[in-house]
Amino acid sequence: MSLPDFQLLRPKTLTEAVARLAENPGETQIIAGGTDLIPSMRQRLFTPRYLLDIRGIPELHGIRQTAEGLEIGALTPLTVVEHNEILRHDYHVLAEAAGTVASPLLRNMGTIGGNICLDTRCLWYNQSLTWRKSCGFCIKKDGDLCHVAPGGKECWAAFSADTPPALLCLEAEIEIAGPKGTRRILLSDFYTNRGDERTRLANDEILTRVFLPRATSGYRGTYRKLRVRGSIDYPLAGIAVAFKAANGHVEDPRIAITAVNPAPLVVGGVKEKLNGKTLTTEVAEAAGALAARTARPLTTSALTPEYRREMVRVLTKRALLDLAAPERKRS
Amino acid sequence: MSKVLLKLVVNGRPQEFACEPNQTLLDALRQDLGLTGSKRGCDDSSCGACTVQVDGVPMLACTLLAAGCDGQEIVTVEGIADHGSLAAIQKAFGEWGGSQCGFCTPGFMITVHWLLGQNPNPTEEEIRTALSGNLCRCTGYNQMYSAVKAAIAAEQRGKVPR
Amino acid sequence: MSDFSVIGKPVALVDAAGKTTGQGKYTDDLSMPGLLIGKILHSSYPHARINRIDASKALALDGVVTVVVGADAPNKYGILPVGHDETALAVDKVRYVGDNVACVVAETEAIAEKALELVDVEYEPLPAWFDPEESMRAETDLIHEQRPQNIEKEYHHVFGDPAKGFAEADHVAEGRYIANEVTHAAMEPHSTLASFELDPQTGKPGRLTVWSSTQVPYYLQHKLSIVLEMPMSQIRVIKPLVGGGFGGKSEVIPLEIIAAVAARKAQAPVKITYTREEVFWAHRGRPRTIVDLKTGVKKDGRITAVAAKVIQDGGAYCSYGVVTILYSGALLGALYDIPNIQYDGYRVLTNKPACGAMRGHGTVNVRFAFESQLDEVARAIGMDAVEIRERNLLKPPCITVNGLRVQSYGLPECIEKTAERSRWRERKGKLPRGRGLGIACSHYVSGAANSIIRSDMPHSTVNIKIDRDGGVVVYTGASDIGQGSDTMVAQIAAEALGCSLGRVKVVAADTDLTPIDIGSYSSRVTFMNGNATLRAAEAVKKQIVQSAAKRMGCAPEDVVMRGDRVWKKSAYPEGGPEAALQAAPPDAPTVSGRVEGQILRGSVQQKRKEEGPKDQMSFEEAVVSAIDFHGALTGTGSYAPPVEARGGKHKGAGVGPSPAYSYSTQVAEVSVDEETGEVTVHKVWAAHDCGRALNPVSVEGQVIGSVWMGLGQALQEEMVWKDGLLMNPGLLEYRSPSAIESPDVECIIVESVDPEGPFGAKEASEGSLAAAIPAVANAIYDAVGIRLRESPFTPERVLAALRAKQADAKRLQLSGKVDPTHPETFREHGGSLSYRGRGAARHPLDPAIRRKSGAESEPKPEQGAS
């Protein structure tokens, strides 16, 4: 299957990239690692006139420590995020989540920025043009109906990246560059929770950097991923958990989930339930129930929605108990 | 579409040619340079049969644009033999049954070649993880692990001065 | 000294270096000047009449050479003589989403793909059939007019007296088992290159050469001759390296015919390579199957009777279907001693891609049911799972109640060895909750005793040529698809001729050069082509021995060929020539020119006269003296299964008989996570009776690969359907196992030495697959006490079963309202698509919607699905 025709733009600086993007905003698609975009272009989910290859912009690569925390260039490969010593130590949940993305080969190519901007996925959408023609096109691409929500006029494709829930737990911010300069927002404000218009990135903007605040440095955290294969697969559910460990108590706990809604979501009510508590089975189960309540999976993948929601509950509970384990051993 | 002129270093040799902007690195290698060792096994970047090294890092040639690789160094399966003889890993894959139909083998060769370059003495789990981006449908992977271990042993023997 | 010098030793495949260096060529790696690319237009409808195809816009596109349609080659073909129901491209109607409608031939792939979008097809949608049990009740809108009720074939077999057998049983178990559909997913997508050459006499296109990724080059040659109406002698099929088959390339696949028809119409060479999605549509995999099974046993564990009703969802064409449904019944026999068998098999047509042969053809899903139920009855009568299997062993040599002849029978040893290695007796029942052991057995044919073409011709013929260079060239039609048949052939020839492996060159699977072999399927190649090779080698050897005997002044019986030398028996070194071989390893053939450079220059007769009689000589010298007497040495060997192995006389008796059966036993150790339903296989001990292991490393590879593929079907592989639409037509969503979750498989080779196999060898590549699924099912039961009767045992099914046991109200929704411990029917993928295959009518470019200017009323979405 060949790729559709396009013109390739290869800017060498961010300024140049923003300028090129501004020339034809609606017709230009940004490509970084390409691990999701290229297969999607084969399926004719995207047929941009211009492809803006930003891989050659050095300023968007790399991890730097700053006064306010840590700064990760959007083009930093997931493999680097996975193995970076500072991340592994201070922002463990992110390194762990990055290490579960797809496969080692795809992590060598895929970038943190690409993972944050990943297109939402649905078994009725991520198919070839011929397949979608056979089935009848859907709201997200070329059509006007939804195959998973009867009579629905909204798109429920699932946001299926692994690192954003970890970033949400760490209160990450992102920097976005556009014709009017740069803006910096909380990652939690980036997503729309709609399957089709999934982010608030305007079509003339580029995600440039991710910031991890000093405040969440050293938080204990972990990521659990539901998938069928031990590698390659996108998550069918993903749960990131992080909190500040203090004398056997949980402080400032956060739980965020992915792959079960059109956006990665912070689970509400967690602070109220967990703050100041010792992580007992009972507490962990209550948190699991909260997470499951936030999850609204639909038939976007081969596993049933009921099963995926149930796993959000179980994996959340387990993530918390696993984090509690060293504390327990010590006490 | 106007063609793009690009320069690559492939298996140590500079190559200069024109390609369509939408041509993948895999197609350029197979069709323009005649290096058919790298294979196309899927269309959704999931199988790893096209794995090549780009500036020393294993990646999927089917998912890279050839024009996007301008100026980079590519190593394909055709480039890992050892001065005209089979590299230890190539010999070991033959002897230990690591390759049956052989279609996925070029991808595994590149991945293992990279692994042993990074980590000359990987644990079984490290081997397993490293290989987990390449699918094989014949072997069940078991004999590949024996082959990797045999190659490591052969490399180590080779390094001992006689 | 071992009995053999070449076989029985682990050697690298003779084509391994080509695979590890990337130098080896597969079909898609081939090119030639002027090569055009073909792309196929596939049906968007599961069942529709084609009223009109208008390709004018596509033809007008720059770079498009021609567009091929059904009318260009309307002759019907099919792999079975009784199942000629396919055409190269649809002639009147399409029968599944993905059926072949037209083929665009263009200068590049990109142009051809663009042109596909411009081919205007006017369809008239027909009601479609997706569920086999519904399809069996069809009276109208038949998929093929000549098949009432959409039943491709049904068989009703009774052996012994099943009613009496069940009456005598102390315990009878009954249940429905469902195995969902799986596919080969070989790493190489199918590819075919077809090229005509101009005939110098007529000046018109003459001979056709086809390079194709096939397991059956000779069948391809035959079917091409039917469709193209050309004599077979004008068609040459060459099989380059093949990147895995597993049955998916064991019949003629549409692109192979289409490429040839396209090359004829385009008047230029044409290559077609499937996309991965097209591979899924071409399919020919293992049909989803309903098995209603009943087993009766006495208290002592003896099976008194078995009754099986099997329904296979065969898809839209016959393919190998008639054979599949027969294997499903016939292979109830020949594993255990079962006195009474009733079998009712239905092969049903539906509007889905055609199913065909897949590794373990026909036996796998029934074996899953049988071995699971055997576990159930063992528990019911309080007997250990190993013991009940030992109580029902055959006593060979024997002929089973359904007419299968069994000679070599390594099953007892397989059971014993796996029980021993897995420490079954010490550990069974003593593992902590959540961890369990399960055992199951299986078997398979070493080739079919009756070929599908019902001919008396040999199933394999092999030629060997040795010329003055001392090189042994074996011409074999056997198709190496990665299983190692070229290596097997080389080893047998080298062993028989007493020469080194490096001396043997194999020329294989080229219909112009090699004698007919009917193909690489039903695990026939080692047994049949191996025997033919052995006979050819012996024919050549006889000539060498005769002349050597003269030279050494002894009787031909006193000549020994071994270790690349020829010996007078009295001079043959004690302990064999292996010591000498150490100095010159067998992999390094001695250079022929060593015979004092006389091989090519002239005769050694003169030199010989000057010498006295010898008591040993080099292989080259022996060869050259034989050639001096006879001219170039050639020998032919062929193999046809013996009449005694060809089975009974009942209708359908042709399928199942084999000259020999392989046997397999596996113990799986699993743990089950009771909160997630996740099953982890920690280890599988797999014993396989392959008669004799000609190349142990290859045998182990085949056995481990089979077990592993079975584990894929057991745990995660499944084609997910919705209204005939395949939801997961790619390697990302059809999840064959990655390295991470693939367990350690310990292969235990059992050698029963078959009296008719080449050096005693039998099949090794398929028989082990079937046992893996029930071994895991039985281990899951042992771990957590749930009996899964629907495969694959995905986490949601396992969890649903666990919850069902706890009588939790939420239980069934986890697996789409189907209880995997008591499955009733196939589960469709969830979601609201309710177009019953009419989704394509919504496409804005579709003529149907344009005619009605978008006014067509939409069916209401299904309610209830999440």
Side-chain angles (χ1 to χ4, degrees):
Chain A
M1 230 186 280
S2 60
L3 292 169
D5 294 344
F6 53 80
Q7 283 185 35
L8 186 67
L9 311 174
R10 300 189 71 210
K12 294 286 173 232
T13 64
L14 180 60
T15 318
E16 189 192 346
V18 171
R20 301 304 291 269
L21 194 53
E23 286 165 18
N24 298 287
E27 295 176 310
T28 308
Q29 181 91 35
I30 300 168
I31 182 169
T35 54
D36 184 55
L37 182 62
I38 294 288
S40 297
M41 285 175 69
R42 282 207 173 85
Q43 297 174 325
R44 301 301 186 263
L45 295 172
F46 297 95
T47 48
R49 207 161 137 210
Y50 302 95
L51 209 55
L52 187 75
D53 180 355
I54 57 173
R55 285 200 313 155
I57 304 177
E59 59 200 281
L60 300 187
H61 288 267
I63 299 175
R64 280 175 292 277
Q65 258 175 319
T66 65
E68 46 186 292
L70 205 68
E71 184 187 308
I72 308 174
L75 290 174
T76 308
L78 291 161
T79 300
V80 173
V81 175
E82 174 189 0
H83 294 293
N84 180 276
E85 276 308 319
I86 304 168
L87 285 172
R88 290 180 79 87
H89 191 262
D90 293 346
Y91 301 97
H92 183 81
V93 63
L94 176 60
E96 195 182 337
T100 70
V101 175
S103 72
L105 295 169
L106 289 159
R107 294 198 289 278
N108 287 342
M109 306 174 71
T111 65
I112 184 79
N115 205 239
I116 291 170
C117 294
L118 189 72
D119 192 13
T120 53
R121 298 185 64 80
C122 178
L123 214 45
W124 307 87
Y125 163 74
N126 296 97
Q127 301 281 4
S128 72
L129 177 61
T130 311
W131 191 99
R132 288 179 290 123
K133 202 168 169 181
S134 310
C135 168
F137 295 106
C138 76
I139 293 174
K140 191 162 160 66
K141 180 68 183 162
D142 299 335
D144 57 1
L145 63 103
C146 176
H147 296 292
V148 299
K153 290 290 167 200
E154 278 172 77
C155 173
W156 290 93
F159 182 80
S160 304
D162 292 294
T163 61
L167 291 165
L168 289 175
C169 284
L170 299 171
E171 301 225 324
E173 294 185 335
I174 52 172
E175 182 190 73
I176 293 166
K180 291 175 208 144
T182 59
R183 62 188 176 111
R184 190 162 154 170
I185 60 169
L186 272 171
L187 182 66
S188 51
D189 292 333
F190 186 57
Y191 299 106
T192 62
N193 206 20
R194 284 177 52 191
D196 40 4
E197 299 293 330
R198 64 192 187 281
T199 70
R200 299 201 165 87
L201 189 74
N203 62 14
D204 57 358
E205 291 183 318
I206 301 176
L207 172 67
T208 50
R209 266 175 273 272
V210 182
F211 302 100
L212 300 176
R214 179 144 301 212
T216 54
S217 167
Y219 272 36
R220 186 172 292 170
T222 189
Y223 179 72
R224 291 287 175 278
K225 174 169 179 169
L226 174 68
R227 57 172 159 196
V228 176
R229 276 189 289 215
S231 184
I232 301 170
D233 294 354
Y234 282 94
L236 294 162
I239 296 99
V241 173
F243 57 80
K244 192 170 173 182
N247 304 323
H249 297 300
V250 169
E251 263 178 44
D252 194 22
R254 301 97 190 281
I255 299 174
I257 57 176
T258 187
V260 281
N261 296 89
L265 292 180
V266 173
V267 176
V270 167
K271 269 184 196 153
E272 293 79 344
K273 270 254 155 58
L274 268 62
N275 223 0
K277 299 253 172 75
T278 308
L279 279 178
T280 60
T281 308
E282 205 181 6
V283 169
E285 269 176 2
L290 278 180
R293 220 171 296 151
T294 308
R296 292 252 184 289
L298 293 175
T299 53
T300 55
S301 79
L303 289 180
T304 60
E306 293 80 2
Y307 179 76
R308 284 158 67 203
R309 182 155 48 212
E310 178 66 4
M311 287 310 100
V312 169
R313 189 183 71 74
V314 171
L315 296 180
T316 303
K317 182 186 81 175
R318 286 189 174 182
L320 284 167
L321 290 176
D322 287 352
L323 288 176
E327 290 289 327
R328 279 189 190 163
K329 265 175 218 157
R330 248 174 277 152
S331 57
Chain B
M1 267 186 311
S2 52
K3 288 199 171 188
V4 184
L5 192 68
L6 77 152
K7 288 180 187 170
L8 300 175
V9 176
V10 181
N11 299 331
R13 274 190 206 160
Q15 302 276 2
E16 197 171 333
F17 59 100
C19 75
E20 307 276 350
N22 66 348
Q23 201 176 357
T24 62
L25 176 62
L26 180 64
D27 285 343
L29 292 170
R30 288 176 58 82
Q31 288 162 17
D32 295 84
L33 303 181
L35 296 170
T36 55
S38 310
K39 307 296 184 201
R40 183 187 69 79
C42 68
D43 302 299
D44 52 14
S45 308
S46 61
C47 81
C50 66
T51 307
V52 299
Q53 284 182 25
V54 180
D55 286 347
V57 181
M59 294 189 181
L60 303 175
C62 75
T63 309
L64 289 163
L65 298 173
C69 296
D70 192 17
Q72 294 191 290
E73 271 190 52
I74 313 294
V75 176
T76 71
V77 66
E78 287 94 343
I80 61 169
D82 189 6
H83 303 290
S85 298
L86 292 180
I89 186 61
Q90 292 174 314
K91 186 142 190 294
F93 257 58
E95 285 170 351
W96 290 86
S99 175
Q100 284 183 28
C101 85
F103 201 77
C104 69
T105 308
F108 278 98
M109 286 297 112
I110 291 292
T111 299
V112 175
H113 183 252
W114 170 84
L115 170 69
L116 299 187
Q118 295 288 109
N119 180 357
N121 214 347
T123 62
E124 169 126 5
E125 196 181 330
E126 284 168 337
I127 298 172
R128 202 178 271 268
T129 304
L131 300 193
S132 71
N134 297 79
L135 288 175
C136 167
R137 193 61 172 158
C138 295
T139 62
Y141 310 100
N142 278 238
Q143 289 181 317
M144 288 192 195
Y145 305 140
S146 315
V148 173
K149 286 174 201 158
I152 292 167
E155 290 278 7
Q156 283 169 351
R157 271 199 310 278
K159 280 186 191 129
V160 176
R162 293 179 194 201
Chain C
M1 164 197 161
S2 88
D3 293 343
F4 304 104
S5 58
V6 181
I7 67 162
K9 295 184 170 45
V11 296
L13 297 181
V14 293
D15 51 9
K19 292 169 178 171
T20 56
T21 58
Q23 298 301 323
K25 295 291 182 199
Y26 300 76
T27 304
D28 191 46
D29 300 339
L30 305 174
S31 190
M32 57 172 57
L35 181 67
L36 301 174
I37 301 297
K39 276 278 162 189
I40 299 166
L41 178 69
H42 298 277
S43 166
S44 304
Y45 290 90
H47 200 188
R49 209 165 292 292
I50 295 177
N51 287 337
R52 192 177 55 87
I53 300 177
D54 178 1
S56 54
K57 272 181 256 158
L59 283 164
L61 192 71
D62 248 8
V64 172
V65 176
T66 189
V67 176
V68 188
V69 294
D72 289 318
N75 289 1
K76 285 189 172 178
Y77 71 93
I79 188 65
L80 301 180
V82 295
H84 278 209
D85 60 2
E86 295 182 62
T87 51
L89 293 156
V91 170
D92 51 351
K93 65 176 191 170
V94 287
R95 295 179 173 88
Y96 64 95
V97 173
D99 209 346
N100 308 284
V101 176
C103 174
V104 174
V105 180
E107 284 162 11
T108 68
E109 184 188 25
I111 295 171
E113 282 174 354
K114 277 185 199 124
L116 284 185
E117 295 299 311
L118 300 174
V119 179
D120 209 353
V121 185
E122 189 183 305
Y123 293 102
E124 183 188 328
L126 299 167
W129 303 96
F130 303 126
D131 181 87
E133 286 179 300
E134 277 173 28
S135 191
M136 284 167 77
R137 295 192 284 269
E139 284 172 9
T140 57
D141 304 303
L142 297 176
I143 296 168
H144 292 280
E145 288 310 317
Q146 72 276 22
R147 295 279 178 263
Q149 274 87 52
N150 286 333
I151 293 176
E152 177 66 45
K153 202 81 182 174
E154 60 185 284
Y155 288 99
H156 303 280
H157 290 160
V158 176
F159 304 105
D161 186 346
K164 184 162 160 272
F166 283 118
E168 286 168 3
D170 294 318
H171 178 80
V172 176
E174 248 181 298
R176 169 165 283 204
Y177 299 79
I178 284 186
N180 281 292
E181 198 155 325
V182 292
T183 198
H184 323 83
M187 293 309 297
E188 179 202 23
H190 304 65
S191 181
T192 300
L193 195 165
S195 174
F196 283 86
E197 56 192 77
L198 296 176
D199 185 312
Q201 313 302 333
T202 65
K204 297 202 158 69
R207 290 176 54 94
L208 165 67
T209 305
V210 171
W211 292 261
S212 193
S213 53
T214 177
Q215 302 175 233
V216 287
Y218 297 88
Y219 287 150
L220 176 55
Q221 183 193 26
H222 178 235
K223 305 305 172 191
L224 283 167
S225 112
I226 292 173
V227 179
L228 296 170
E229 297 179 349
M230 286 171 66
M232 279 171 73
S233 64
Q234 295 296 299
I235 300 169
R236 177 183 189 183
V237 176
I238 301 172
K239 177 209 71 72
L241 286 180
V242 171
F246 314 114
K249 295 164 184 165
S250 69
E251 62 183 286
V252 175
I253 298 296
L255 90 162
E256 301 183 284
I257 302 280
I258 297 169
V261 175
R264 184 172 68 181
K265 194 166 178 186
Q267 301 176 346
V270 172
K271 181 162 79 177
I272 304 180
T273 301
Y274 274 160
T275 63
R276 182 51 69 176
E277 184 178 41
E278 287 178 295
V279 174
F280 276 87
W281 288 333
H283 188 33
R284 320 282 158 156
R286 197 180 325 288
R288 52 184 191 174
T289 307
I290 297 171
V291 183
D292 288 319
L293 186 71
K294 187 173 166 187
T295 306
V297 286
K298 300 288 272 183
K299 278 190 192 120
D300 64 2
R302 287 282 295 126
I303 298 169
T304 59
V306 171
K309 179 187 169 195
V310 176
I311 297 171
Q312 287 170 350
D313 179 359
Y317 293 95
C318 175
S319 174
Y320 270 107
V322 176
V323 173
T324 319
I325 197 70
L326 281 169
Y327 265 134
S328 287
L331 291 181
L332 284 166
L335 182 58
Y336 303 114
D337 183 14
I338 303 174
N340 306 295
I341 297 175
Q342 179 173 336
Y343 176 67
D344 300 283
Y346 301 85
R347 178 72 172 199
V348 183
L349 294 157
T350 53
N351 292 106
K352 292 164 60 242
C355 293
M358 181 169 162
R359 203 173 197 176
H361 189 190
T363 184
V364 173
N365 294 342
V366 174
R367 187 54 48 199
F368 154 52
F370 185 96
E371 294 289 312
S372 298
Q373 196 164 72
L374 194 59
D375 226 49
E376 293 169 42
V377 296
R379 279 172 196 276
I381 60 169
M383 185 173 278
D384 177 68
V386 165
E387 198 180 345
I388 196 166
R389 287 170 171 83
E390 288 174 337
R391 290 284 169 94
N392 288 289
L393 296 173
L394 288 164
K395 291 170 193 66
C398 61
I399 295 197
T400 67
V401 66
N402 60 342
L404 310 181
R405 183 194 67 160
V406 178
Q407 302 197 113
S408 59
Y409 185 66
L411 185 63
E413 195 181 338
C414 288
I415 295 175
E416 184 50 43
K417 288 257 169 75
T418 41
E420 187 188 308
R421 295 277 185 95
S422 65
R423 298 196 296 125
W424 176 274
R425 289 181 181 91
E426 298 97 289
R427 300 200 301 145
K428 180 73 189 350
K430 297 184 188 108
L431 296 172
R433 178 165 175 90
R435 200 164 175 118
L437 292 172
I439 190 168
C441 303
S442 59
H443 65 321
Y444 203 62
V445 300
S446 304
N450 308 288
S451 81
I452 53 172
I453 46 173
R454 315 233 173 146
S455 150
D456 284 332
M457 73 174 203
H459 293 205
S460 287
T461 302
V462 170
N463 288 344
I464 292 179
K465 179 212 83 173
I466 310 180
D467 217 327
R468 302 183 74 89
D469 58 3
V472 178
V473 187
V474 185
Y475 298 87
T476 172
S479 295
D480 199 322
I481 57 171
Q483 87 281 37
S485 65
D486 283 2
T487 309
M488 175 277 297
V489 162
Q491 281 185 288
I492 287 182
E495 182 68 48
L497 290 165
C499 70
S500 64
L501 190 60
R503 191 181 288 284
V504 182
K505 157 99 182 151
V506 178
V507 175
D510 176 333
T511 60
D512 265 12
L513 302 181
T514 56
I516 292 182
D517 174 279
I518 59 177
S520 286
Y521 60 94
S522 66
S523 267
R524 53 174 296 285
V525 178
T526 293
F527 201 96
M528 300 191 182
N529 204 274
N531 264 324
T533 304
L534 183 56
R535 288 169 191 182
E538 276 164 356
V540 176
K541 183 180 177 182
K542 200 170 159 195
Q543 300 168 53
I544 301 172
V545 164
Q546 267 174 356
S547 88
K550 274 191 194 159
R551 284 270 276 123
M552 299 192 292
C554 65
E557 305 84 73
D558 290 333
V559 174
V560 179
M561 291 177 74
R562 183 152 180 172
D564 243 3
R565 292 192 76 76
V566 179
W567 316 75
K568 194 171 173 177
K569 199 183 257 172
S570 56
Y572 188 68
E574 206 170 317
E578 266 68 26
L581 279 177
Q582 297 276 314
D587 285 345
T590 51
V591 177
S592 305
R594 285 285 167 75
V595 194
E596 280 80 50
Q598 295 207 19
I599 287 174
L600 292 175
R601 247 181 277 137
S603 170
V604 288
Q605 284 169 1
Q606 189 56 39
K607 183 172 167 53
R608 199 180 305 138
K609 277 179 197 155
E610 291 155 15
E611 291 171 359
K614 305 181 134 193
D615 56 8
Q616 58 163 290
M617 59 184 124
S618 72
F619 184 81
E620 292 90 338
E621 197 177 348
V623 162
V624 170
S625 29
I627 289 173
D628 279 348
F629 285 110
H630 305 287
L633 296 173
T634 59
T636 293
S638 65
Y639 178 82
V643 179
E644 310 82 67
R646 293 185 194 175
K649 294 274 177 256
H650 58 275
K651 187 175 168 232
V655 175
S658 171
Y661 298 86
S662 74
Y663 290 92
S664 181
T665 304
Q666 284 157 46
V667 170
E669 180 166 353
V670 311
S671 58
V672 180
D673 184 325
E674 293 186 71
E675 258 186 328
T676 64
E678 211 177 325
V679 176
T680 305
V681 178
H682 298 284
K683 180 152 185 174
V684 177
W685 293 266
H688 185 101
D689 164 24
C690 64
R692 186 188 299 283
L694 300 178
N695 184 359
V697 72
S698 260
V699 170
E700 282 177 15
Q702 291 305 312
V703 172
I704 294 169
S706 298
V707 172
W708 174 87
M709 199 175 269
L711 294 175
Q713 183 178 349
L715 295 172
Q716 62 199 67
E717 289 177 35
E718 176 176 13
M719 296 170 88
V720 180
W721 299 100
K722 178 74 177 177
D723 287 351
L725 196 57
L726 180 58
M727 298 300 294
N728 52 347
L731 295 181
L732 183 61
E733 296 290 338
Y734 182 86
R735 297 182 173 97
S736 72
S738 77
I740 299 286
E741 71 273 17
S742 300
D744 180 19
V745 179
E746 183 178 326
C747 173
I748 304 154
I749 295 175
V750 170
E751 296 186 304
S752 63
V753 189
D754 188 80
E756 293 176 13
F759 300 106
K762 304 190 286 191
E763 84 88 33
S765 301
E766 300 193 60
S768 280
L769 193 151
I773 303 160
V776 170
N778 295 341
I780 291 172
Y781 187 89
D782 188 47
V784 290
I786 52 165
R787 176 56 62 189
L788 289 165
R789 295 188 179 86
E790 181 179 5
S791 71
F793 319 129
T794 55
E796 58 189 0
R797 287 199 180 95
V798 174
L799 191 63
L802 286 162
R803 292 282 171 83
K805 223 177 126 197
Q806 297 157 6
D808 187 313
K810 271 165 73 184
R811 62 197 195 188
L812 298 180
Q813 281 170 14
L814 288 170
S815 55
K817 302 189 179 80
V818 174
D819 179 356
T821 62
H822 292 94
E824 282 162 18
T825 186
F826 297 114
R827 171 170 89 90
E828 288 271 288
H829 182 69
S832 72
L833 180 77
S834 57
Y835 298 100
R836 301 293 289 175
R838 284 166 177 266
R842 297 187 51 84
H843 190 281
L845 297 176
D846 194 281
I849 204 161
R850 259 185 286 161
R851 264 201 318 279
K852 293 176 189 170
S853 59
E856 193 183 52
S857 66
E858 288 175 22
K860 277 191 192 142
E862 237 170 54
Q863 292 303 313
S866 61

